[in-house]
Amino acid sequence: MRRLAILGAVAMMAVLVFATAGSSAASSSAQSDAQKQCRAERNAMGAQTFKDTYGTNKNRSNAFGKCVSHRTRQNAGDEKTAHTNASKECKAERAADPAAFKDKYGTGKNKSNAFGRCVSQKSKAKTKQAEQSQVQAEENAAKACKAERKADPAAFKAKYGTNKNKSNAFGKCVSQKAKAQ
């Protein structure tokens, strides 16, 4: 009886390890892309604007980590949506002309991998496009917020700031404008 309980516990731990390993593969891709996007965004915006956009502590030194966290969540969602949409498109394309579909996407002797390759290609393209548009939207929003803040800093803080000293105004402005795009 005791051996059975120990065996069951070991099996549960193995299942948890494999489940965790499987889910981290997609998130590591999303995180890797997020790091690249944040570096590019920091270069495009300039260091101070980037810090103002993402930083949350007193000297805004946590901006890069906050950006990566934000982008990783977005990228994971983009990957899931892109995969779902790509799957639907591939099913429709396969239904329209199965032979042409196999010839276009399949490899090997019987080209039985056509559907998976189709979904993979379309999903990657859709994910990349969505990620690029989100980065561009936030860069544009940061430029607009920077101009608005320069015109009237006090009104800007009053309009967008939500914390006690309204120091989060710039990040809130960028978030609001990027979502609108």
Side-chain angles (χ1 to χ4, degrees), residues 42-53:
R42 182 179 56 198
N43 292 339
M45 284 183 178
Q48 190 57 49
T49 304
F50 183 81
K51 285 182 176 184
D52 289 342
T53 302

Side-chain angles (χ1 to χ4, degrees), residues 114-135:
F115 187 76
R117 289 177 49 84
C118 175
V119 171
S120 177
Q121 289 174 13
K122 289 182 183 279
S123 179
K124 285 178 185 175
K126 288 178 179 301
T127 299
K128 187 173 183 173
Q129 182 182 18
E131 290 171 358
Q132 287 174 341
S133 67
Q134 287 170 346
V135 168

Side-chain angles (χ1 to χ4, degrees), residues 41 45 49-50 53-54 135-149 156 170 173-175 177-178 181:
E41 196 170 352
M45 284 183 178
T49 304
F50 183 81
T53 302
Y54 293 106
V135 168
Q136 190 62 48
E138 289 195 11
E139 287 175 9
N140 293 340
K143 289 176 186 175
C145 292
K146 190 175 181 180
E148 189 176 341
R149 179 178 64 180
F156 182 82
F170 194 82
C173 174
V174 171
S175 178
K177 289 185 183 293
Q181 291 181 6

Side-chain angles (χ1 to χ4, degrees), residues 2-24:
R2 185 173 180 189
R3 285 184 185 175
L4 186 60
I6 291 172
L7 185 61
V10 169
M12 291 284 287
M13 289 187 344
V15 168
L16 288 173
V17 168
F18 285 118
T20 305
S23 66
S24 67

Side-chain angles (χ1 to χ4, degrees), residues 30-162:
Q31 185 174 16
S32 174
D33 290 346
Q35 290 172 348
K36 292 173 190 170
Q37 292 164 346
C38 290
R39 281 188 200 99
E41 196 170 352
R42 182 179 56 198
N43 292 339
M45 284 183 178
Q48 190 57 49
T49 304
F50 183 81
K51 285 182 176 184
D52 289 342
T53 302
Y54 293 106
T56 58
N57 59 357
K58 188 174 183 176
N59 63 357
R60 310 271 190 224
S61 62
N62 65 345
F64 192 79
K66 293 292 184 178
C67 176
V68 170
S69 177
H70 170 73
R71 288 268 173 247
T72 300
R73 282 191 307 273
Q74 276 187 334
N75 291 350
D78 290 344
E79 287 173 2
K80 186 175 180 178
T81 302
H83 184 79
T84 301
N85 292 340
S87 181
K88 289 176 185 177
E89 287 179 17
C90 290
K91 283 179 185 176
E93 191 175 342
R94 181 178 60 187
D97 190 354
F101 182 81
K102 276 190 169 186
D103 287 337
K104 183 176 179 181
Y105 296 106
T107 60
K109 191 183 206 180
N110 61 2
K111 300 185 179 191
S112 62
N113 63 346
F115 187 76
R117 289 177 49 84
C118 175
V119 171
S120 177
Q121 289 174 13
K122 289 182 183 279
S123 179
K124 285 178 185 175
K126 288 178 179 301
T127 299
K128 187 173 183 173
Q129 182 182 18
E131 290 171 358
Q132 287 174 341
S133 67
Q134 287 170 346
V135 168
Q136 190 62 48
E138 289 195 11
E139 287 175 9
N140 293 340
K143 289 176 186 175
C145 292
K146 190 175 181 180
E148 189 176 341
R149 179 178 64 180
K150 187 176 181 181
D152 189 357
F156 182 82
K157 277 189 168 188
K159 182 177 179 180
Y160 295 106
T162 59

